[in-house]
Amino acid sequence: MNLQESHSLNWDDLKYFLAVARSGTLRGGADRIQVNHTTLARRLAVMEENVGSRLFDRSKAGLVLTQLGEDLMPYAERVEEEMTAASRIIVGRDALPSGTIYLTLPHGLAMTSLMDDLALFAEQYPDISLNMRFSNEVADLTRREADVSLRIADEVTQDVVGRRLVQLSQAAYCTKDYAQRIRDNGGEGLSLIGWHEPEGDTTAKWVQESCYPKALLRHRVSDIVPLITLAASGLGMAYLACCLGDRHPGLIRAPFQKPKPYRSLWLLLHKDLRNTARVRLFVDFLAGRVQSRRNEFWVAGTTG
Amino acid sequence: MNLQESHSLNWDDLKYFLAVARSGTLRGGADRIQVNHTTLARRLAVMEENVGSRLFDRSKAGLVLTQLGEDLMPYAERVEEEMTAASRIIVGRDALPSGTIYLTLPHGLAMTSLMDDLALFAEQYPDISLNMRFSNEVADLTRREADVSLRIADEVTQDVVGRRLVQLSQAAYCTKDYAQRIRDNGGEGLSLIGWHEPEGDTTAKWVQESCYPKALLRHRVSDIVPLITLAASGLGMAYLACCLGDRHPGLIRAPFQKPKPYRSLWLLLHKDLRNTARVRLFVDFLAGRVQSRRNEFWVAGTTG
DNA sequence: TCCGGGTGGTTCATTTTTGAAACACGGTGT
DNA sequence: ACACCGTGTTTCAAAAATGAACCACCCGGA
């Protein structure tokens, strides 16, 4: 099979050919496939040029298929049948809904109740698979690295459809034992586990603005998981989103504080996929679940 | 069958889909179908957008078909098969060569030896039909009123491929009897049959410049056929292209003259069809025949 | 005869598509 | 470590395609 032979034609021009063949006029054909009649005339002319022969005789009665036009008609019709069948595959796959949703989310969310939501979704919609990737790197939706991305951020700047599900609260968490050492003295003698601050700094702006301005920034980690586990080991206090800290069985909120506003939970998807049934279903499902439990994310008493 | 369903996709995008599926990379696919790789990437992206789902997973190993991509593959392949088969019809029809050539030519040429040429062509190429329309109106090749047009003109201005076959000579013709009256006196007492000159004018610029400046422009016709038949009836002298006058059994060249340069015989075709085998064959055939008999059109003794 | 509707065609501004050049990245070989 | 190659992506200018407005023509009905 020589690709060049079949590729000399624009396959899409068959739509125009069929439309004219069935209607007998340029305007009728244009209405049929909802393009401008000029476009139809031009596309047909280009097709006739590529074929090197006329496909229609122009007469007062309209456009009548030439012998070649008639010879090509069954091929065009069969192409149309294949495309229609293919479209059924596409629509059917979309409408059930079924298929795979590629989801990316940061590590921290793996320890939130959102996981329960994902499991429930998968249970309710067994024809939809969730392909989940946990990564703190921002997934590039425009590169189609994922269909849906959950992110914790102040705001989003990427060319995506963003939906802020809820704003989060954060608080300092420690073990029950560590909490016995805490007095209402601004954090005197306490240790904080930090997050990327320059090594050597014993405080930071956010520490000064916290309920424990005297606490020392004595440790640093680069991931949420060790931040939680080290705090649960008694190393010090860790500032965590409440939806994380409140769920950990070995941590309590440190005394003498009020929760503070933190970033928001965003659900992002590429605009190309927003009309896909399964994606839409997933988005609505998750948003509803988060909304019904919003006080788990933005807790009572949170003040600026 | 709902046309909208099959029409939501650009059928031509299947070429791009198939190319990537078979090569596994964007650049490989682009080389395969000879488009720029950026074009391929974009067309694929558009197709994925229209489908509403990814057709390829992007990995280090390249682009791998998703399940949907695999599901669509056989449909795409069958469309390709149909298009290949259709192309064989087109190429085969072109290459034989066969089909119809739509030819338009002025009335006067119906009485030239060119008719013998057309008959010979049709005899030698029985698979090619000649659809001939005689008309003095200029056929609009850009409107595809004809594939090929023969014209007698000084030059052509239409956006067509023009090929001048030969320049013509013209001379005054009359009956043998009428010739008995002719003296070498500049046409004194002779009648000329004219062609569209204003009624009432007894002479014209071309008469003054002819070999019979004293002849009177006494009659007018609006077509070549009556011009010839009236001259052959003895009404007077008629200026005709030599390829016409010399062939008429009832006419001779009037005495005391030299043939003069006349217009040229042009063969015109729309540039879109110049590579069509049968048109090319016809053009070359006719040009060759005319060339081999060129002294029938530009006769000996023709002077400016 | 005139008018309205439907036809195909022309022109022009706008939008879309394409190709080329440049870039970034990862893998391989020296 | 560096250079090279093949990959996909970005940017921009040029080319192509599209749609809208308008026109000319033909036909049928009043």
Side-chain angles (χ1 to χ4, degrees):
Chain A
M1 187 181 330
N2 185 344
L3 292 183
Q4 291 305 320
E5 286 177 1
S6 64
H7 284 57
S8 60
L9 287 180
N10 181 337
W11 297 356
D12 207 53
D13 283 344
L14 292 185
K15 294 180 191 172
Y16 300 85
F17 170 76
L18 285 168
V20 174
R22 289 171 177 156
S23 69
T25 66
L26 292 178
R27 293 204 182 219
D31 288 343
R32 198 179 185 97
I33 59 175
Q34 291 176 28
V35 293
N36 190 278
H37 73 274
T38 326
T39 300
L40 178 54
R42 283 183 293 228
R43 292 292 288 267
L44 192 56
V46 167
M47 187 177 169
E48 284 181 326
E49 175 183 350
N50 288 335
V51 166
S53 193
R54 287 192 297 168
L55 300 173
F56 294 94
D57 284 323
R58 275 86 167 161
S59 71
K60 285 171 186 160
L63 288 89
V64 180
L65 283 168
T66 60
Q67 185 59 54
L68 178 58
E70 282 180 22
D71 291 342
L72 292 181
M73 191 67 179
Y75 298 93
E77 281 173 331
R78 287 198 288 272
V79 166
E80 187 184 44
E81 281 167 17
E82 294 296 340
M83 293 311 302
T84 301
S87 294
R88 285 206 197 99
I89 297 286
I90 294 162
V91 171
R93 180 174 277 268
D94 204 22
L96 282 179
S98 64
T100 303
I101 296 177
Y102 293 77
L103 174 65
T104 179
L105 56 175
H107 290 136
L109 291 185
M111 287 171 282
T112 65
S113 58
L114 288 175
M115 294 302 104
D116 303 329
D117 297 325
L118 298 185
L120 183 61
F121 181 83
E123 183 183 333
Q124 289 185 0
Y125 303 101
D127 290 331
I128 303 184
S129 307
L130 293 178
N131 185 325
M132 291 168 284
R133 183 164 71 101
F134 293 87
S135 169
N136 289 335
E137 293 169 14
V138 180
D140 191 336
L141 294 173
T142 65
R143 292 175 61 176
R144 296 182 181 269
E145 289 175 359
D147 297 329
V148 182
S149 177
L150 287 167
R151 302 252 45 94
I152 298 175
D154 289 321
E155 63 186 24
V156 296
T157 58
Q158 206 175 1
D159 183 23
V160 294
V161 177
R163 186 166 177 178
R164 197 178 71 160
L165 298 184
V166 71
Q167 184 168 8
L168 306 179
S169 307
Q170 75 169 339
Y173 287 86
C174 61
T175 60
K176 200 166 183 179
D177 285 349
Y178 199 87
Q180 300 296 329
R181 301 157 56 174
I182 299 175
R183 298 293 179 268
D184 189 5
N185 58 6
E188 189 76 51
L190 299 182
S191 296
L192 276 172
I193 311 172
W195 179 259
H196 286 147
E197 291 83 11
E199 204 164 300
D201 289 4
T202 56
T203 192
K205 186 163 181 258
W206 66 266
V207 177
Q208 301 295 332
E209 293 171 349
S210 74
C211 297
Y212 310 103
K214 297 182 186 173
L216 295 183
L217 202 51
R218 295 193 45 199
H219 315 284
R220 288 156 192 77
V221 294
S222 59
D223 197 68
I224 191 68
V225 176
L227 181 65
I228 294 172
T229 54
L230 287 175
S233 300
L235 188 65
M237 296 186 298
Y239 263 91
L240 302 172
C242 297
C243 59
L244 246 65
D246 287 347
R247 283 175 53 92
H248 198 279
L251 294 176
I252 58 170
R253 292 192 203 167
F256 309 113
Q257 71 164 326
K258 285 183 186 297
K260 300 164 39 188
Y262 187 46
R263 300 173 185 171
S264 298
L265 175 63
W266 293 81
L267 189 153
L268 314 177
L269 65 153
H270 194 267
K271 61 183 166 77
D272 291 347
L273 296 178
R274 68 190 157 180
N275 293 323
T276 310
R278 66 184 180 282
V279 171
R280 202 164 54 237
L281 187 64
F282 177 73
V283 168
D284 292 345
F285 173 87
L286 202 57
R289 298 288 299 182
V290 169
Q291 193 68 13
S292 67
R293 300 196 315 274
R294 62 177 303 108
N295 59 6
E296 180 180 326
F297 301 96
W298 178 264
V299 299
T302 303
T303 60
Chain B
M1 189 180 331
N2 184 343
L3 292 183
Q4 291 304 320
E5 285 177 1
S6 62
H7 284 57
S8 60
L9 289 179
N10 180 338
W11 296 356
D12 208 52
D13 284 343
L14 292 185
K15 293 180 191 170
Y16 301 86
F17 170 75
L18 285 168
V20 175
R22 289 170 176 157
S23 70
T25 66
L26 293 178
R27 293 200 182 221
D31 289 344
R32 197 179 187 100
I33 60 175
Q34 291 178 27
V35 294
N36 189 281
H37 68 276
T38 323
T39 299
L40 179 54
R42 282 185 293 224
R43 292 293 288 270
L44 191 57
V46 166
M47 188 176 169
E48 284 181 326
E49 175 184 351
N50 288 336
V51 168
S53 194
R54 286 191 298 167
L55 300 172
F56 294 93
D57 285 322
R58 277 85 167 161
S59 70
K60 284 171 187 161
L63 289 90
V64 180
L65 282 168
T66 60
Q67 185 62 54
L68 178 58
E70 285 180 18
D71 291 343
L72 292 181
M73 191 70 181
Y75 297 92
E77 281 174 330
R78 286 198 290 272
V79 166
E80 187 184 43
E81 283 167 15
E82 294 297 339
M83 293 310 302
T84 301
S87 294
R88 285 204 195 100
I89 297 285
I90 294 163
V91 171
R93 179 174 277 267
D94 203 23
L96 282 181
S98 66
T100 303
I101 297 177
Y102 293 78
L103 173 65
T104 178
L105 56 176
H107 289 138
L109 290 183
M111 286 171 285
T112 66
S113 60
L114 288 174
M115 295 301 103
D116 302 331
D117 297 324
L118 297 185
L120 183 61
F121 181 82
E123 183 183 334
Q124 289 187 1
Y125 302 101
D127 289 331
I128 302 184
S129 306
L130 293 178
N131 183 325
M132 292 168 285
R133 184 166 71 102
F134 292 87
S135 169
N136 288 336
E137 292 170 15
V138 180
D140 191 336
L141 294 171
T142 63
R143 290 176 60 175
R144 298 181 178 267
E145 289 176 358
D147 297 329
V148 182
S149 176
L150 287 169
R151 302 250 48 95
I152 297 174
D154 290 319
E155 62 185 28
V156 295
T157 58
Q158 204 175 5
D159 183 23
V160 294
V161 177
R163 185 167 178 176
R164 198 177 70 158
L165 297 183
V166 71
Q167 186 169 8
L168 305 180
S169 308
Q170 77 169 339
Y173 288 86
C174 62
T175 58
K176 200 165 180 179
D177 284 349
Y178 199 86
Q180 301 296 327
R181 302 158 55 177
I182 300 175
R183 298 292 180 266
D184 191 6
N185 57 8
E188 189 76 51
L190 299 180
S191 297
L192 275 172
I193 311 174
W195 182 259
H196 286 146
E197 293 81 11
E199 203 166 301
D201 289 3
T202 56
T203 192
K205 186 164 183 263
W206 65 268
V207 177
Q208 303 293 333
E209 294 171 350
S210 73
C211 299
Y212 310 103
K214 298 181 186 175
L216 295 183
L217 200 52
R218 297 196 40 199
H219 315 284
R220 289 157 190 79
V221 293
S222 60
D223 196 69
I224 191 66
V225 176
L227 182 65
I228 293 173
T229 54
L230 287 176
S233 299
L235 188 66
M237 295 187 298
Y239 262 91
L240 300 172
C242 296
C243 58
L244 246 66
D246 289 344
R247 282 175 53 91
H248 198 278
L251 293 174
I252 60 170
R253 292 191 205 169
F256 309 113
Q257 72 165 322
K258 285 184 184 300
K260 301 164 41 188
Y262 187 45
R263 299 174 182 169
S264 298
L265 175 63
W266 292 81
L267 188 153
L268 313 177
L269 66 152
H270 195 268
K271 61 184 166 75
D272 291 347
L273 297 177
R274 67 189 158 183
N275 293 324
T276 310
R278 65 185 182 280
V279 171
R280 202 166 53 237
L281 186 64
F282 177 72
V283 168
D284 292 344
F285 172 88
L286 202 58
R289 298 289 299 184
V290 169
Q291 193 68 15
S292 67
R293 300 196 317 273
R294 63 177 304 108
N295 58 8
E296 178 181 327
F297 301 96
W298 177 263
V299 298
T302 303
T303 61

